[in-house]
């Protein structure tokens, strides 16, 4: 069974690449020396692997980046100043509620635990109270009888 392989079989001699056949319709692809593209000479002393642009461009990019960071910090400070953090106790649920509120509008931006969790907890507490009161009522009836 023949298995195709990229390696030559043991004991065979590799002759290398076969010569290319020239066709009559082929187009010449070599350019004259004046039109050839060559690699620019490299500075052995000043060779750098740094991908950043040299000189003024790198400094300008650093200034732009620093300006953007400062602008983002100013925006973040403005947002922090317009928000207020509150810790309140929800009596129905029996939990502490952490809220972040917009000072201007009074709108709750973030809350932990969420409103749904508070409602479920309040419902569960109320159901537990009803069961306790019903159990206490049945015990009173038994004692009277």
């Amino acid at each position: 069974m023949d298995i195709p392989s990229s390696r030559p079989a043991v004991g065979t001699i590799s002759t290398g690449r076969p010569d290319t056949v020239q066709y009559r319709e082929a187009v010449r692809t070599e350019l004259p020396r004046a039109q050839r593209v060559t690699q620019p000479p490299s500075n052995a002393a000043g060779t750098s692997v740094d991908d950043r642009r040299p000189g003024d461009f790198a400094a300008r990019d650093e200034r732009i980046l620093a300006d953007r960071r400062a602008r983002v910090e100013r925006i973040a400070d403005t947002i922090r100043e317009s928000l207020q953090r509150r810790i309140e106790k929800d009596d129905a649920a029996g939990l502490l509620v952490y809220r972040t509120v917009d000072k201007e509008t009074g709108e709750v931006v973030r809350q932990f635990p969420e409103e749904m969790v508070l409602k479920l907890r309040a419902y569960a507490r109320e159901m537990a109270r009803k069961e306790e009161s019903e159990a206490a009522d049945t015990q009173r009836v038994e004692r009277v009888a």
Side-chain angles (χ1 to χ4, degrees):
M1 180 186 283
D2 287 338
I3 299 174
S5 173
S6 60
R7 287 198 251 162
V10 178
T12 59
I13 299 173
S14 176
T15 58
R17 219 169 146 181
D19 292 334
T20 57
V21 179
Q22 292 184 352
Y23 294 99
R24 282 182 239 152
E25 296 88 23
V27 178
R28 186 177 175 101
T29 56
E30 288 189 29
L31 295 172
R33 185 171 283 266
Q35 292 180 341
R36 290 183 187 168
V37 178
T38 60
Q39 185 175 0
S42 64
N43 273 343
T47 304
S48 174
V49 186
D50 192 7
D51 288 341
R52 296 188 322 176
R53 291 180 277 175
D56 294 335
F57 293 117
R60 182 179 60 100
D61 290 346
E62 291 295 326
R63 282 193 308 270
I64 290 171
L65 185 59
D67 289 342
R68 287 181 182 163
R69 285 183 183 148
R71 191 177 319 138
V72 167
E73 283 298 319
R74 284 194 303 270
I75 292 170
D77 289 341
T78 304
I79 291 171
R80 276 189 224 114
E81 290 171 2
S82 69
L83 298 178
Q84 178 184 21
R85 293 189 178 108
R86 296 181 188 167
I87 300 173
E88 302 168 351
K89 184 172 184 201
D90 187 333
D91 293 326
L95 294 173
L96 289 176
V97 181
Y98 301 92
R99 289 187 175 118
T100 304
V101 180
D102 188 346
K103 287 181 182 179
E104 295 174 9
T105 63
E107 179 184 352
V108 176
V109 178
R110 256 184 269 147
Q111 175 177 318
F112 180 81
E114 293 181 16
E115 194 66 34
M116 182 59 72
V117 174
L118 294 175
K119 288 179 181 179
L120 288 172
R121 182 73 184 250
Y123 178 76
R125 282 186 77 183
E126 189 61 36
M127 293 303 292
R129 281 189 195 146
K130 282 185 179 181
E131 285 180 11
E132 288 175 8
S133 67
E134 288 174 3
D137 289 341
T138 56
Q139 287 177 359
R140 285 187 207 154
V141 172
E142 290 176 10
R143 287 183 190 168
V144 173

